[in-house]
Amino acid sequence: MEIIEEGPSMHDESDEEKEEKESKHGKQNVPVQKPVVINYKSRKPAPLQILDRVKINNTLETPLSTIKGFLNVPQQTELKFNRENLKKVENQLKRAFVEFYQKLRLLKSYSFLNTLAFSKIMKKYDKITSRTAASSYMKMVDNSYLGSSEEVTKLMGRVEATFIKHFANSNRSKGMNILRPKARKQRHRITFSTGFFAGCTFALILALILIIRARNIMGKEGRIQYMETMFPLYSLFGFVVLHMVMYAANIYFWRRFRINYAFIFGFKQGTELGYREVLLVSFALAVLALASVLSNLDMEMDPKTMDYQTFTEIIPLILVGVVFIILFLPFNILYRSSRFFFLTCLFHCICAPLYKVTLPDFFLADQFTSQVQALRSLEFYVCYYGWGDFRHRQNSCKNNDVFNTFSFIIAVIPYWSRLLQCLRRLFEEKDPLQGYNGLKYFLTIVAVCFRTAYSLNKGLGWEVLALIFSIAAAIVGTYWDLVYDWGLLQRHSKNRWLRDKLLIPQKSVYFGAMVLNVLLRFAWLQTVFNFKLFTLHRQTLITIVASLEIIRRGMWNFFRLENEHLNNVGKYRAFKSVPLPFNYDEDEDKDE
């Protein structure tokens, strides 16, 4: 078979240089470089016969393929070269080329930095010893393979030429933008918009406080009715906004301490959100929610119909609908890549354990374990508007057996998803730690069920069971957070009771975080003992406890990714492996 190699890359010259050459030589014929033809052994198969031995590797995992693999059902191995499969192959090859090119760039950077280090060291040596040994030593370095080899540069040129020709339709600028994606520029428009919405948020909070005090709303008869109906509806947005603000703070500190969160999460380069973008979305949502709250502060019903205004009562439902529409919007606006990445991870969490568990999947599932109260608020939306209670602003959900049953299910779903993910990793990795982690989540499920049962059916027996299992789950969860997730409490570490490598120079931050994590872990005690704090309503106390758990989760996120980053650095994981889509069977060639 004759294989045509591509000649040297001609992309080093700009268009202006080519025009200058043409003007100098006039109509002189420019010799065209012919491709190099290499003749291999005649026993190699013809080009069309290669397809008989090339097979497509089916690396795309689906729930059906997972079930077949678990049941040892033989799967289809022969895949047809149809348009759909070839499109997947093209995308996979493109990812492989991009990843390989990034590895070459890292290797070239490694060579340059080492050469630069030699130069700096020798300059320092000459300055201290008053000698001129740098020139002779640098000649040795430049003549060495490290300083003289052009293999990496040539290989990068070949990758660029191949990628531009086959994946960018010979458009160099388009191909290089894919191979070398530029860092996202910080736009002043985003900074201005973030500040604008932040100012509007604080102004609306101040206006809400002043209106409540001026009208003495909390002293009216409808106060308890409002806290039982409208407050749980709007608390959903408070939980989401608080979690997003904590995530924005995580991004800020991850960048400050050089934690490569984009690589850890597997974000496509150039599409990851910065803390300004996350704050912009969170404050915009906060403005919409607070404006809705101000429109619902009327505590009095119509004396004739004994109903509240229907439009104002369904404003929270409209707002939830708008959020879901934006989340599923298919158009390339409002950070589509980030939204689709979130939805993909969410779908994997829901379908656990049918998908291979990756860090973004179980990280997102951990976030939902701190948003149990938000999920219950969504359940309340279904009951409040589905049963028609919004017309009279009354809460009949607690008297409904279906609603109470789903209160157990909703509270368990996040922990159940994490349990299934741990079992999947235990089955694949044979790591006993995943089994212990699964037992931790099973214990938490039991504790949550007993606490929910106690909140619905008051009784000494439920209280004792809820207290015992909740304390056990909190102790196990705290130990796992500090030792395995954060990598702390290492007795023989050079940083006593911490770990050998720390990114934050102040050790007191780690000890303070450990103490705060323990205290916030036991914040649920209020739900069992019903502490009376400043005569606050029960819904207010539930909201405060849920907010403290979200704050604890935000703190946990930083140290969890710090530990993951240090493990990646220690194991020299700087890039991800991309499986190739084709497999060429050479066994027949060997038999001939």
Side-chain angles (χ1 to χ4, degrees), residues 175-187:
M176 294 307 297
N177 286 334
I178 299 175
L179 288 175
R180 297 188 179 188
K182 297 179 181 179
R184 180 188 292 271
K185 294 182 180 180
Q186 297 293 340
R187 299 180 179 177

Side-chain angles (χ1 to χ4, degrees), residues 107-144:
L107 187 58
K108 186 177 181 179
S109 177
Y110 172 80
S111 174
F112 171 76
L113 289 176
N114 277 273
T115 306
L116 183 63
F118 275 113
S119 176
K120 296 285 186 182
I121 292 171
M122 294 312 301
K123 284 183 179 180
K124 195 73 172 179
Y125 176 80
D126 286 351
K127 184 178 181 181
I128 294 175
T129 61
S130 300
R131 297 178 62 183
T132 57
S135 58
S136 59
Y137 274 100
M138 287 309 299
K139 286 182 180 179
M140 295 175 59
V141 174
D142 292 337
N143 293 331
S144 66

Side-chain angles (χ1 to χ4, degrees), residues 329-589:
L329 202 63
F331 305 111
N332 192 14
I333 56 175
L334 299 175
Y335 312 118
R336 183 180 66 172
S337 60
S338 299
R339 290 188 285 110
F340 281 15
F341 184 86
F342 170 78
L343 292 175
T344 301
C345 294
L346 178 61
F347 184 73
H348 290 177
C349 294
I350 295 174
C351 296
L354 300 178
Y355 284 95
K356 182 178 178 62
V357 182
T358 58
L359 189 142
D361 296 339
F362 70 74
F363 189 87
L364 180 62
D366 280 326
Q367 307 307 304
F368 277 105
T369 59
S370 298
Q371 287 284 8
V372 172
Q373 199 57 41
L375 296 177
R376 283 177 170 170
S377 296
L378 285 176
E379 179 196 8
F380 183 70
Y381 267 91
V382 176
C383 176
Y384 186 70
Y385 289 102
W387 268 254
D389 292 343
F390 69 96
R391 295 187 182 89
H392 308 286
R393 194 178 281 184
Q394 62 182 5
N395 185 359
S396 62
C397 298
K398 293 183 179 179
N399 300 325
N400 192 302
D401 294 335
V402 176
F403 179 84
N404 293 333
T405 302
F406 272 93
S407 296
F408 287 88
I409 299 174
I410 292 296
V412 164
I413 285 177
Y415 301 102
W416 180 254
S417 176
R418 282 297 289 124
L419 173 61
L420 294 178
Q421 288 177 344
C422 292
L423 294 178
R424 171 67 185 258
R425 296 185 67 183
L426 176 64
F427 177 77
E428 287 185 342
E429 303 172 11
K430 311 300 181 183
D431 186 3
L433 280 179
Q434 298 302 326
Y436 299 143
N437 197 17
L439 289 176
K440 179 194 75 173
Y441 286 106
F442 178 77
L443 186 61
T444 306
I445 289 174
V446 176
V448 169
C449 289
F450 280 127
R451 286 210 301 267
T452 306
Y454 172 70
S455 63
L456 297 176
N457 305 306
K458 300 294 183 181
L460 182 61
W462 291 116
E463 182 178 4
V464 172
L465 290 173
L467 188 62
I468 292 174
F469 281 94
S470 296
I471 290 177
I475 293 174
V476 174
T478 302
Y479 177 80
W480 196 274
D481 287 345
L482 303 180
V483 176
Y484 293 102
D485 291 338
W486 294 2
L488 303 178
L489 291 182
Q490 297 181 10
R491 183 176 181 182
H492 300 290
S493 171
K494 63 180 181 180
N495 301 309
R496 192 168 180 82
W497 297 113
L498 298 177
R499 65 170 102 88
D500 291 337
K501 294 183 179 180
L502 303 174
L503 295 181
I504 302 178
Q506 295 81 10
K507 298 180 182 179
S508 58
V509 174
Y510 293 92
F511 290 107
M514 287 192 288
V515 174
L516 190 59
N517 184 73
V518 173
L519 294 177
L520 295 179
R521 269 282 186 182
F522 286 88
W524 52 265
L525 286 172
Q526 188 276 334
T527 60
V528 178
F529 293 106
N530 292 323
F531 298 127
K532 299 297 182 181
L533 300 176
F534 308 107
T535 65
L536 294 177
H537 192 272
R538 178 176 173 273
Q539 287 293 339
T540 306
L541 292 176
I542 292 175
T543 303
I544 292 175
V545 172
S547 300
L548 291 177
E549 171 59 22
I550 294 174
I551 294 173
R552 187 198 70 82
R553 180 60 61 183
M555 182 180 63
W556 178 89
N557 290 342
F558 174 81
F559 294 103
R560 176 66 182 87
L561 245 67
E562 180 200 21
N563 188 35
E564 184 71 20
H565 174 78
L566 292 175
N567 289 335
N568 288 340
V569 173
K571 297 178 181 178
Y572 304 101
R573 291 197 293 256
F575 43 78
K576 297 182 182 296
S577 60
V578 178
L580 295 178
F582 288 124
N583 179 25
Y584 179 72
D585 188 9
E586 297 182 352
D587 294 339
E588 297 184 8
D589 292 344

